DNA sequence: CTCGGTTTTCAAAGCGCTTTGGATGCCGGC
DNA sequence: GCCGGCATCCAAAGCGCTTTGAAAACCGAG
């Protein structure tokens, strides 16, 4: 069933039917109702491709999944962010499209997505330091939003981010206040912008307290469970092991916990742990009492906000740049306690 | 840059340029090269909407995300499945599209996706028992594949699934062979087809061993960490607590482990645990030695296979129905051991 | 040279929608 | 009785591509 057929049934012109369905004023209320009834009855759905071709808009927003962020992995954070975004997209009549691209052609992927006219805007996830994609998108004039920021990029761009530096500064200070001095940081991949900011916060807190950082206590890699376990086990074998561990994700915090268990150490008593908690639906930080002391910020909520900001940008391409900085909340759970007395 | 402009630059007709780029034989090799060079030079990308309108194909495959599978949650399994699928889509020139739908309008969402011409086929994830969407899709004549199966659906359909029943039968038998009799099952949502099949396998193994099932040991809900923790803690308070626990996901297994730790019980010695492991990228079941004894089947691999099967179906809509049953592997880790002597 | 058969190219129609620029009919005011 | 203004409706063009049917160019055989 297409427009032509429907208009023929109604004995109206395609013009009128189109206008009736799209809410234009130059059609009488009576015919509008008649048209809507017929459309519903025959299950008419305007062809998205034809509509897109005629309007120049696709009502689709694109995301690019790097086929391998190192080891062909998919971050579970991704799922919650996307769930938040897609919900808002739906509210505004947008669909969401994914393209896959290997790391080398990731810029190409964005370019093709937009220049083919497949999408009206794109979301850039997981920016690195000096992220080259930002300038590419900027030059292409495609509406986009960055989830995160990128140190070193000079062009202006819309972004939404959590205050990584201040939240890790605060978490580190919290541990210092508890008397900890040997504080480890199990961070994300080094070239990720968020990882650097978190490290900056961590280092600044140490500096303010006059504690000199120990490279042996600073680790970075993709934040899996196995990674959290491995690094923790490794650091516990040091002559002067950490009494507290700061980790960039709940998933690796679970690995940290496992390593502590294996070593017969009690979390919160022998070793304190603070995690960054993205408030994932399937991995809540406990029910009423938090399992981990954590810096918490819902990535799902970030997804919703990102979607809204992008849709605004699509509507008003020449508005001034918009940015949004979310503050993470510090929730105190049972995984932290005073530094153990080592004498 | 569009076809018309490009053809004008080349002093050729749009017809010829189109044919040159799409590999038709009725164009001389010389002009083909000339066209390809010019296209590359000017960064020409055929407009996807126009192409789709002309060809009747959109080269997009649709997935529907229920906006709330109960509590607005997003399963991390989703991420890995999608990553597998999108990779194969890309290899065949397809993009992936997501639409969001609340539980009531989920059929509508599929219908609209396809009838609008937005996608060439769809993937149905997380089928329930007597899944109504299958018949809807079947009636609509849309190419689709089901990840999982649906007991009670009579129409034929393509599916790919893991052998849930036999793998849980095997896991349960493994526990029985270790001397366990009080075996708990922490399962997924009751109306999900996979959950029923797993329960069937579990029950059959008990029956074969002459153990009568205890309803107090059978739990079902959405498989979060908190859920695994909650149910385990609850069951440990029973007069006759379980000596072994079977759980439907690694995530809830982590919760199980946490509850055991809190109760001062050692996993594998005091209580045995077997999990179903979807081999998630970010939540590997240990490195060399598995953390949990588990029934393992890569959901990412399932995503790849599903994508291939769907693309075949799109190409040959009238081929006989294709199905694929994957066998889960039983990997033995440190989480299981002989039933403790309770005398 | 001519002619049938290839090879190569092209003009035009069509995909299903929106939108511009009328056309039509109806109203009250002069 | 005529006319401007308003409310409705419509024909046709156009979005950027593919594809059909036909024309042009070229070829070697006769």
């Amino acid at each position: 069933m297409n427009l032509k057929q429907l208009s023929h049934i109604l004995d109206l012109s395609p013009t009128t039917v189109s206008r009736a369905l799209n809410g234009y004023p130059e059609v009488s209320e009576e015919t509008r109702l008649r048209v809507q009834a017929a459309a519903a009855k025959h299950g008419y759905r305007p062809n998205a491709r034809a509509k897109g071709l005629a309007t120049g808009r696709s009502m689709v927003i694109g995301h690019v999944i790097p086929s391998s962020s190192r080891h062909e992995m998919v971050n579970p954070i991704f799922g919650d962010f996307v769930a938040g975004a897609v919900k808002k997209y739906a509210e505004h009549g947008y669909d969401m499209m994914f393209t896959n691209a290997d790391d080398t052609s990731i810029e190409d992927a964005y370019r093709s997505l937009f220049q083919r006219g497949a999408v009206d805007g794109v979301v850039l996830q997981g920016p690195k330091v000096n992220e080259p994609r930002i300038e590419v998108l900027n030059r292409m004039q495609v509406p986009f939003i960055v989830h995160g920021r990128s140190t070193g990029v000079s062009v202006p761009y819309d972004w939404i981010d959590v205050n990584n530096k201040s939240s890790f500064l605060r978490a580190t200070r919290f541990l210092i206040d508890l008397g900890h001095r040997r504080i480890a940081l199990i961070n994300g991949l080094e070239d990720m912008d968020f990882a650097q900011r978190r490290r900056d916060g961590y280092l600044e807190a140490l500096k303010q307290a006059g504690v000199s950082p120990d490279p042996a206590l600073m680790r970075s890699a993709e934040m899996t469970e196995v990674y959290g376990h491995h690094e923790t086990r490794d650091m516990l074998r040091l002559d002067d092991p950490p009494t507290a561990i700061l980790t960039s994700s709940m998933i690796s915090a679970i690995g940290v916990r496992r390593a502590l268990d294996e070593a017969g150490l009690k979390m919160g008593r022998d070793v304190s742990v603070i995690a960054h908690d993205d408030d994932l639906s399937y991995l809540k930080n406990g029910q009423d009492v938090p399992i981990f002391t954590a810096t918490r910020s819902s990535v799902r909520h970030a997804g919703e906000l990102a979607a809204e900001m992008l849709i605004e940008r699509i509507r008003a391409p020449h508005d001034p740049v918009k940015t949004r900085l979310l503050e993470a909340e510090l929730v105190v759970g049972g995984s932290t306690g005073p530094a153990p007395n080592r004498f």
Side-chain angles (χ1 to χ4, degrees), chain A:
Chain A
M1 172 66 59
N2 61 23
L3 224 210
K4 201 169 163 188
Q5 292 167 20
L6 183 64
S7 65
H8 196 253
I9 290 177
L10 284 161
D11 204 24
L12 284 170
S13 75
T15 308
T16 305
V17 176
S18 168
R19 289 192 154 147
L21 292 175
N22 290 311
Y24 282 74
E26 51 271 81
V27 49
S28 72
E29 213 46 39
E30 189 199 331
T31 40
R32 187 190 305 282
L33 290 174
R34 205 160 64 88
V35 170
Q36 282 169 346
K41 181 181 164 198
H42 296 89
Y44 167 71
R45 320 251 178 176
N47 183 292
R49 294 191 296 266
K51 193 164 183 161
L53 187 55
T55 58
R57 277 168 291 124
S58 62
M59 299 307 284
V60 175
I61 286 168
H63 291 233
V64 172
I65 311 182
S67 81
S68 56
S69 66
R70 300 278 155 119
H71 304 294
E72 298 256 354
M73 292 190 171
V74 172
N75 201 316
I77 290 174
F78 167 85
D80 264 70
F81 181 85
V82 158
V86 82
K87 184 179 150 203
K88 287 294 168 188
Y89 292 162
E91 284 173 17
H92 292 87
Y94 283 88
D95 284 322
M96 173 184 252
M97 175 172 282
F98 281 116
T99 315
N100 169 276
D102 53 34
D103 284 2
T104 57
S105 70
I106 200 161
E107 292 183 20
D108 251 23
Y110 277 112
R111 208 191 310 266
S112 128
L113 211 45
F114 184 70
Q115 290 179 350
R116 268 162 47 210
V119 303
D120 294 340
V122 301
V123 174
L124 179 65
Q125 281 159 292
K128 306 186 174 185
V129 176
N130 282 313
E131 179 58 66
R133 291 174 287 165
I134 293 179
E135 295 201 25
V136 172
L137 293 175
N138 196 274
R139 212 168 331 119
M140 276 168 61
Q141 305 262 55
V142 36
F144 71 101
I145 185 161
V146 180
H147 178 214
R149 279 170 286 176
S150 180
T151 312
V153 170
S154 55
V155 299
Y157 57 92
D158 294 348
W159 54 259
I160 178 165
D161 199 4
V162 59
N163 199 336
N164 286 302
K165 184 172 174 183
S166 78
S167 64
F168 268 56
L169 190 153
R170 200 159 147 223
T172 308
R173 190 180 287 159
F174 181 80
L175 290 169
I176 290 171
D177 289 346
L178 283 168
H180 295 275
R181 292 298 177 272
R182 295 287 292 164
I183 303 173
L185 175 65
I186 298 185
N187 207 350
L189 282 169
E190 247 181 14
D191 53 354
M192 300 300 276
D193 194 78
F194 80 86
Q196 295 223 356
R197 290 179 192 273
R198 290 179 184 177
R199 196 186 54 195
D200 289 351
Y202 161 82
L203 289 175
E204 188 163 322
L206 290 185
K207 191 176 162 194
Q208 286 175 3
V211 177
S212 59
D214 180 353
L217 298 186
M218 296 166 60
R219 312 290 171 112
S220 59
E222 198 135 38
M223 298 183 296
T224 62
E225 196 270 352
V226 164
Y227 159 62
H229 174 259
H230 182 267
E231 301 303 321
T232 303
R233 195 172 54 175
D234 195 63
M235 289 191 287
L236 289 176
R237 289 191 189 126
L238 293 174
D239 291 338
D240 194 5
T243 65
I245 299 175
L246 216 51
T247 176
S248 264
S249 122
M250 281 280 293
I251 308 245
S252 28
I254 289 168
V256 169
R257 184 194 171 103
R258 182 160 61 93
L260 295 179
D261 282 353
E262 286 174 4
L265 298 169
K266 185 156 163 43
M267 192 170 77
R269 189 192 61 196
D270 303 317
V271 176
S272 289
V273 176
I274 299 187
H276 182 75
D277 174 12
D278 292 290
D279 202 21
L280 304 183
S281 314
Y282 268 75
L283 206 61
K284 289 267 177 243
N285 187 10
Q287 260 172 316
D288 1 83
V289 184
I291 307 169
F292 294 100
T293 297
T295 54
R296 176 160 63 199
S297 176
S298 163
V299 71
R300 186 181 188 115
H301 185 228
E304 292 181 15
L305 293 174
E308 278 176 350
M309 288 172 71
L310 178 54
I311 289 168
E312 274 178 41
R313 167 63 57 219
I314 290 171
R315 287 196 184 140
H318 301 298
D319 271 10
V321 157
K322 278 179 189 130
T323 63
R324 179 117 188 217
L325 189 59
L326 306 170
E327 286 300 331
E329 162 192 20
L330 184 67
V331 299
V332 178
S335 69
T336 44
N341 203 328
R342 283 250 176 89
F343 303 109

